[in-house]
Amino acid sequence: FEPSSDWMPPFMRVNPILEWSYADVWLFLRHFHLPYCVLYDRGYTSLGSKQNTNQNPALLRSDGTYRPAHELTNWSLERAGRIESPKRTKPQHES
């Protein structure tokens, strides 16, 4: 539970999905036949931009194809297909 932001009318937020595991999300989506991005069926498990998102190597089959995201068994590898962006540094201001 979390109260609303100061700029909003007062209400209590309920965010049960925050406690869900990777498997819980996929069980829910598939059980209720909810739509999701087709990239998840092509081996992507974490989506960002085109520049920092690849198919998850943990889902690579021996024939070079990828299993769908819901078949990932080691949930700690959910972001294994993401490329870490270089750390931004603060620009130096000239005096």
Side-chain angles (χ1 to χ4, degrees):
F1 293 99
E2 181 181 337
S4 60
S5 302
D6 292 340
W7 55 271
M8 300 181 82
F11 65 91
M12 188 58 67
R13 292 183 178 134
V14 179
N15 301 305
I17 196 169
L18 294 178
E19 301 296 323
W20 288 14
S21 70
Y22 183 84
D24 292 333
V25 172
W26 281 108
L27 286 169
F28 183 84
L29 290 172
R30 292 171 53 77
H31 178 78
F32 290 104
H33 306 284
L34 298 174
Y36 56 85
C37 179
V38 297
L39 292 176
Y40 291 112
D41 288 333
R42 298 178 186 163
Y44 294 86
T45 53
S46 177
L47 303 178
S49 69
K50 287 182 180 182
Q51 293 77 28
N52 72 358
T53 304
N54 292 318
Q55 290 162 299
N56 191 320
L59 294 172
L60 181 62
R61 294 181 177 121
S62 59
D63 66 0
T65 63
Y66 287 83
R67 296 189 327 267
H70 70 267
E71 292 185 13
L72 184 68
T73 55
N74 182 345
W75 307 332
S76 70
L77 297 177
E78 177 186 359
R79 294 180 58 86
R82 296 292 291 275
I83 301 166
E84 190 171 329
S85 300
K87 300 282 185 212
R88 289 187 177 184
T89 58
K90 282 188 169 182
Q92 298 294 322
H93 296 288
E94 294 182 32
S95 358

